[in-house]
Amino acid sequence: MENVPPHMPPPQGPPGPGVPPPAEELVLLDRELVQLDARRAQLLARRAWLVSVLTAPAAAPFPGWQAPPGAGPARDASGPSAQNVLLTLGAVLLTIAAFAFTVVSWGSLGIGGRAAVLGVVTAAALAAPVPLLRRGLRSTAESVAGLGLALTVLDAYALYAVALPGTDGTAYTAGAAAVLAALWTAYGLALGALRLPVPVALVTAQLPLPLGAVAAGAPAQAVGWALLGTAVLDAAVALWWRDRFVRVLAAVAGAATGGWALLGALWLSLAAGDPAAAVAPGALLLGGAVLALAVAFRVPEQGAVPLAGLAGAAAVAALGGVPRAALPDGWAVLPYLVCAVPLLLLLRVAVLRAGVRRGLAGAGAGVAVLGALSALPAVLLALALPVEVWGGVWAGRVPVSSDVRVVGMQAAPVVLLVVAGLAGPWVRRRAEAGAAVVVLVWAALFTASAVLPLAHPVVLAWQVLLTALAVGYALRAGGPVTGALGRSVAAEACAVAGAASVSVLSLAGKPGTFAVLGAFLALFAAAAFAGRGPVGARSVAAVLSVGYATGVLLALGRALDLPAAPTALLVLVVPVVVALAAVAPAARPVRVPFEVAGAGAGVPAVALALPDLPVLALVLALLGVVCAGTAVRADRRPVGYAAGALFLLAAWVRLAASGVTVPEAYTLPVTVPALVVGLLRRRRDPGAGSWTAYGPGLAATLVPSLVAAWGDAHWLRPLLLGLAALVVTLLGARYKLRAPLLLGGAVLALDALHELAPYVVQVADALPRWMPPALAGVLLLVVGATYERRLRDARRVREALGRMK
């Protein structure tokens, strides 16, 4: 047999000389594949045995053989880790025993005995690590040293309890912490091999200054300075200590103490009622800023950015807090924004480190973001202000901004414009800045119309103008320039939000309603079909144009005092116009969203016609006509299915409206010719699916009959329907037709469920209350145990259905 390269197709045509016929060649290939499978199974079995031999602890293949590293059973813990656990546990137990002795049994000894016991035990615990280190027992030395450090704390407590009982506890704790921190540091430096004393001393050193300030009755600013002084010491240790673990611990401790100092100062600055009261917290904030900036110049770049950002934020809070105290609520954010300007300008100062520049500029940007967020409630209120109109459409109720003003609403437009000015220089650097500027400027102008005491028509005109400008900018901004798409999307979002708000506001009066809705209909229609902007913006405009056309017709029906049913027929004009306009060349870029929106316009028509079944049937039939007309186009053939479904639904609704109790008399004359037509089509086009050929005809009778059977108390109709559904299901299975199989099976199952429902209810009432949950649990266990097999069966069913027509 000739070798064929894998990248070449197999030889075609009759076999050549030396090549067996295809039937014999197939038999040979099958034999070789079976032999390969058998050989592979043998090799896998041999490999499994070898692995088991290598990993077995006592099964050596030959005398003197040793398993490779990692081949034996894994140990739960290594020798050193187990040793450390035992030593640590022993030290902890000894510390607990010493504490219990000191607190509980202390009174049984005299003063000399007490001093002698604690002194001897402490001295022994502190001296024992020296010989232990000489013998190389470092872990044991660490444990004994930890016991000695704990005993020094007990010594300090004993001294307070016996010799200084009248001393202030806070002041004594501050002094004792300072002495212990110094002694432990000296002890750790003397025995350099021990790693425990210096970190413990560093943690203890966080207490003396803050506790001393509290003991002295100092004000909150003094406590803050004490915390900041402690942070300075921590920063010095973090920068210049030789041990890396101590440096990291000092950095964490400094961040904690310095952070508390800055948070306290910020709280005091914000709570200050006048500029004089804000000076002292501001000085503390500036001190924290100087410390953070000094450390930022001495750390790597990744650490310089957050430290410089913290320094910039603290400086802004310090400098802006003084004038803030003199301004009314709402305007207080402006001083902080002004102080953020130099930080943004520092980004271009090349003298500073890159990390410091980025951190300071990031702090300025963060202040700007917070300023914009402070104006967000006012913007949301301006957008939601027209909600009051829903209480009385066309009743003349005009919401007045002064009735619902929130704190800072008057200053919101100014704040937003200032933030937009701060973001302006960043437009060319960051694409997000351009979109932010668009949103900020639009929000400022829109909020101004709700704040200023303007007449209602002026407010409507101004907000419609802003929406039109946003739409125009969205169409012009989308281009190859960096960030253009983001600006276009931002402008389109502003236009949608503004259009929704002013549309509701216009419902206060009838003339304003038609003026605003008509203006937006013309605006969005022109943007969708006459503009040349981004496809996304034009698609949104096309959808909105359909929505406003529907709104105009609904308003017209209300103005003419039309009942709901005629208004529903009036709204059907929108789907008709959309279906006709979608074929125009100008609608090609937005054709899909435009047609989807047109289909959605039929929803309010159906909702209005629901109370009147004859009108509902007419509306559904007319929507079916629109879908059928759309399906005439070659690219919209699938819409024909929707047309058929709407026609069937209209027929069923018409039957229900006429009080027909035997729908089969009307549906069977439709089903029989429909099935004949489907059979003829399948003969002419064997590739036609069963849903196309038989689905509409079968559904025309089965579905109405099923609905009638569920409301029929007699047995004849459910029996006949079940027999018919059984026949349809069997025919679908016999000829491998998906539509008869699924439709017949679904109807048969639902019909059987209807017949068995009373008995199921009786059984459910007879069962104990705990039985259904128990059965559900057992079912879940069974399903979980056979999950893989169920998936395989489901895949087989899906494949079988996929092979059907």
Side-chain angles (χ1 to χ4, degrees), residues 169-630:
T170 305
Y172 180 81
T173 302
V179 173
L180 290 176
L183 291 178
W184 291 346
T185 302
Y187 181 73
L189 293 176
L191 300 178
L194 296 179
R195 299 178 59 87
L196 184 61
V198 174
V200 174
L202 178 63
V203 174
T204 308
Q206 310 302 310
L207 301 177
L209 290 180
L211 290 181
V214 173
Q221 289 90 346
V223 176
W225 280 109
L227 289 170
L228 189 61
T230 305
V232 172
L233 297 177
D234 293 331
V237 174
L239 291 175
W240 290 296
W241 200 267
R242 63 180 182 273
D243 186 74
R244 184 176 183 274
F245 177 75
V246 176
R247 292 201 308 270
V248 173
L249 184 61
V252 173
T257 54
W260 277 112
L262 292 179
L263 287 176
L266 179 61
W267 175 263
L268 294 173
S269 177
L270 294 176
D274 56 82
V279 173
L284 181 57
L285 287 169
L286 283 178
V290 171
L291 173 62
L293 190 61
V295 177
F297 277 100
R298 296 180 177 272
V299 298
E301 290 291 331
Q302 62 270 20
V305 175
L307 286 171
L310 178 62
V316 169
L319 299 177
V322 176
R324 180 214 60 82
L327 294 175
D329 293 333
W331 299 91
V333 70
L334 290 177
Y336 297 110
L337 294 176
V338 173
C339 294
V341 175
L343 297 180
L344 295 172
L345 298 178
L346 287 176
L347 188 62
R348 301 181 180 181
V349 179
V351 178
L352 300 176
R353 293 179 60 187
V356 174
R357 284 187 283 120
R358 290 199 303 270
L360 293 175
V367 172
V369 171
L370 291 177
L373 291 178
S374 68
L376 181 61
V379 178
L380 295 178
L381 180 60
L383 289 171
L385 192 63
V387 173
E388 293 185 5
V389 178
W390 284 113
V393 177
W394 293 353
R397 172 76 171 95
V398 179
V400 182
S401 60
S402 59
D403 295 340
V404 288
R405 284 178 181 172
V406 295
V407 176
M409 188 169 182
Q410 296 83 0
V414 179
V415 171
L416 292 171
L417 289 177
V418 172
V419 176
L422 292 177
W426 291 64
V427 172
R428 295 184 179 181
R429 292 176 175 267
R430 300 295 297 260
E432 299 87 352
V437 169
V438 172
V439 174
L440 290 170
V441 172
W442 180 88
L445 297 177
F446 190 90
T447 306
S449 64
V451 172
L452 298 177
L454 302 176
H456 181 63
V458 177
V459 174
L460 291 179
W462 175 252
Q463 293 183 356
V464 170
L465 177 61
L466 286 179
T467 304
L469 293 176
V471 172
Y473 186 82
L475 295 177
R476 292 176 60 87
V481 183
T482 303
L485 181 60
R487 293 195 296 272
S488 176
V489 172
E492 192 69 24
C494 292
V496 172
S501 178
V502 69
S503 298
V504 178
L505 184 62
S506 68
L507 298 178
K510 187 183 301 184
T513 299
F514 284 100
V516 171
L517 298 184
F520 281 152
L521 172 58
L523 170 66
F524 290 115
F529 305 112
R532 294 184 179 180
V535 177
R538 295 181 61 185
S539 299
V540 173
V543 173
L544 291 177
S545 67
V546 174
Y548 277 102
T550 306
V552 168
L553 293 178
L554 290 173
L556 180 60
R558 181 182 176 89
L560 297 176
D561 293 329
L562 295 178
T567 305
L569 297 177
L570 183 63
V571 172
L572 286 181
V573 174
V574 176
V576 174
V577 173
V578 169
L580 296 175
V583 299
R588 182 175 302 171
V590 297
R591 182 170 294 164
V592 174
F594 185 53
E595 291 181 333
V596 171
V603 174
V606 173
L608 289 172
L610 280 177
D612 194 337
L613 291 183
V615 176
L616 177 60
L618 178 59
V619 169
L620 293 173
L622 292 176
L623 289 175
V625 172
V626 175
C627 292
T630 304

Side-chain angles (χ1 to χ4, degrees), residues 704-789:
S705 298
L706 178 63
V707 174
W710 269 73
D712 195 343
H714 300 284
W715 59 271
L716 182 59
R717 175 182 278 115
L719 176 61
L720 295 177
L721 177 62
L723 292 175
L726 177 62
V727 172
V728 171
T729 304
L730 294 176
L731 289 176
R734 170 65 179 81
Y735 295 102
K736 297 182 179 181
L737 299 175
R738 188 182 304 175
L741 178 63
L742 295 182
L743 275 175
V747 172
L748 180 61
L750 292 175
D751 186 66
L753 179 62
H754 171 264
E755 294 302 306
L756 294 176
Y759 304 102
V760 173
V761 173
Q762 292 178 4
V763 172
D765 291 337
L767 290 177
R769 293 296 179 90
W770 55 267
M771 185 64 71
L775 293 176
V778 173
L779 177 62
L780 290 178
L781 291 177
V782 173
V783 171
T786 59
Y787 182 69
E788 184 176 1
R789 189 177 65 184

